[in-house]
Amino acid sequence: MKKKLIFLDIDGTLTAAGSNVPPDSALEAIKKAQKSGHKVFLCSGRNPGMLSPLLKYDFDGYVASAGGYIVIADKVIYDCPMEDEDFHTALDVLHRNGVFCTVEAKDVAYGDSNLAEFFADHTDEGNSEIERWRKALSTSLGIHDIKEYDGRPIYKVVIMCMDDKQLDEARELLEDKYDFCMQIVPLKLNKCVNGELINRKFDKGRGVRKVAEALGYDLSDTIGFGDSMNDLEMIKTVGYSVCMANGNEHLKKICDMVCDSVNNDGLAKAFNQLNLTE
């Protein structure tokens, strides 16, 4: 078969949400695929710092920060932080409307001081992005208090609030330049709006395109694995798309395949079914 470029979301796809340890079955399948001549890239909303614990598994590169920072082998091929004025405008208007924020620089993330309290009071397991941030507050992923922010470039803003109307003012000011990639997430007693403010200059799909172009692959020879709506552009771009059984219901409907869940060796099963390990 023709050699493929394989793109893997992390949280809820390669690993359980918020974890840095893929199942042994997934690591074995990835190694076999690479040995067969395929290339395997991480394609994540995580910034490089938060995905760095996974780099010891020898991926061929990564699309980080939802497409804002891209590396092939050890070479950076794309680097696009937010404009400083846009970042400060976003943070001011979101906070003014009671929106909880985490912001991601290249190597570190910062969160609102009361973010941990919000998660403890409201969130429930079931959404990979929410769970990633909940666990990050108490594990090695690590989020610094936003009061420690030192002015370094920011790539994206993660948003959590109780009502979509809280985003109206931010949309009015920023939606022409930034995509509000949002979804409704069930909570213990209610629901919340969770998502990301992402520069319209990039997304995971355009990250896939940049890697394919740099390496001389047709998009028809790319495969993407995801579970969340922030994987949508990647799923729409790749030649063949796979959603995890634990993933978003809308994403499942538009993918070419739905494989078993991340905790039930789904990635390895899909690699075998697609003949990537032969």
Side-chain angles (χ1 to χ4, degrees):
M1 67 181 297
K2 294 182 69 174
K3 304 310 178 185
K4 304 294 184 181
L5 282 181
I6 304 165
F7 294 87
L8 306 178
D9 172 55
I10 297 176
D11 296 280
T13 302
L14 175 63
T15 72
S19 171
N20 287 322
V21 183
D24 289 341
S25 62
L27 292 175
E28 182 180 356
I30 290 166
K31 290 300 182 187
K32 286 182 177 179
Q34 290 174 315
K35 188 175 181 179
S36 296
H38 308 295
K39 293 185 180 295
V40 184
F41 284 74
L42 297 173
C43 190
S44 177
R46 291 192 190 191
N47 64 4
M50 293 180 80
L51 64 73
S52 62
L54 290 154
L55 298 182
K56 65 183 180 181
Y57 299 116
D58 296 325
F59 291 96
D60 294 289
Y62 57 85
V63 176
S65 299
Y69 193 87
I70 304 173
V71 172
I72 298 176
D74 294 324
K75 181 181 179 182
V76 178
I77 69 163
Y78 188 69
D79 185 358
C80 184
M82 295 178 71
E83 293 181 18
D84 190 60
E85 181 179 353
D86 291 344
F87 164 63
H88 288 290
T89 296
L91 206 60
D92 288 345
V93 68
L94 290 167
H95 281 160
R96 186 162 65 240
N97 285 276
V99 177
F100 292 89
C101 299
T102 53
V103 300
E104 296 184 13
K106 184 174 72 173
D107 298 317
V108 67
Y110 301 89
D112 288 335
S113 303
N114 52 354
L115 190 61
E117 181 180 340
F118 171 80
F119 282 126
D121 289 345
H122 297 293
T123 59
D124 203 357
E125 295 188 18
N127 174 269
S128 63
E129 292 304 306
I130 284 282
E131 187 65 3
R132 169 167 73 95
W133 285 106
R134 187 182 71 80
K135 289 184 177 180
L137 291 170
S138 58
T139 67
S140 58
L141 289 180
I143 298 178
H144 294 257
D145 193 302
I146 204 164
K147 294 175 183 176
E148 300 175 22
Y149 175 63
D150 58 5
R152 67 185 69 192
I154 295 296
Y155 288 77
K156 65 185 179 75
V157 180
V158 180
I159 299 167
M160 282 153 279
C161 58
M162 301 305 294
D163 191 330
D164 190 69
K165 292 181 180 178
Q166 292 173 261
L167 303 177
D168 286 350
E169 186 180 3
R171 282 193 169 106
E172 183 177 345
L173 292 173
L174 296 165
E175 201 163 27
D176 60 330
K177 295 172 66 176
Y178 294 86
D179 181 28
F180 286 69
C181 179
M182 312 303 300
Q183 58 190 333
I184 304 297
V185 179
L187 303 179
K188 293 177 181 177
L189 300 176
N190 204 326
K191 61 183 180 180
C192 83
V193 180
N194 163 241
E196 299 171 326
L197 184 62
I198 301 176
N199 198 320
R200 291 190 183 276
K201 292 180 180 178
F202 60 77
D203 54 48
K204 285 188 177 183
R206 277 181 276 189
V208 167
R209 287 181 181 274
K210 289 181 185 298
V211 173
E213 289 171 2
L215 294 176
Y217 281 70
D218 291 333
L219 285 176
S220 60
D221 293 319
T222 61
I223 303 174
F225 291 76
D227 75 298
S228 178
M229 287 305 289
N230 74 351
D231 297 314
L232 180 62
E233 297 303 325
M234 174 184 71
I235 292 302
K236 289 165 61 177
T237 301
V238 293
Y240 193 88
S241 57
V242 184
C243 184
M244 313 303 290
N246 51 275
N248 179 275
E249 292 302 319
H250 175 70
L251 205 67
K252 291 179 187 179
K253 293 177 182 178
I254 65 173
C255 280
D256 297 303
M257 174 194 290
V258 176
C259 69
D260 216 332
S261 67
V262 61
N263 292 323
N264 199 29
D265 298 321
L267 204 66
K269 292 175 182 177
F271 270 48
N272 290 334
Q273 188 173 342
L274 295 171
N275 300 316
L276 297 172
T277 56
E278 297 179 355

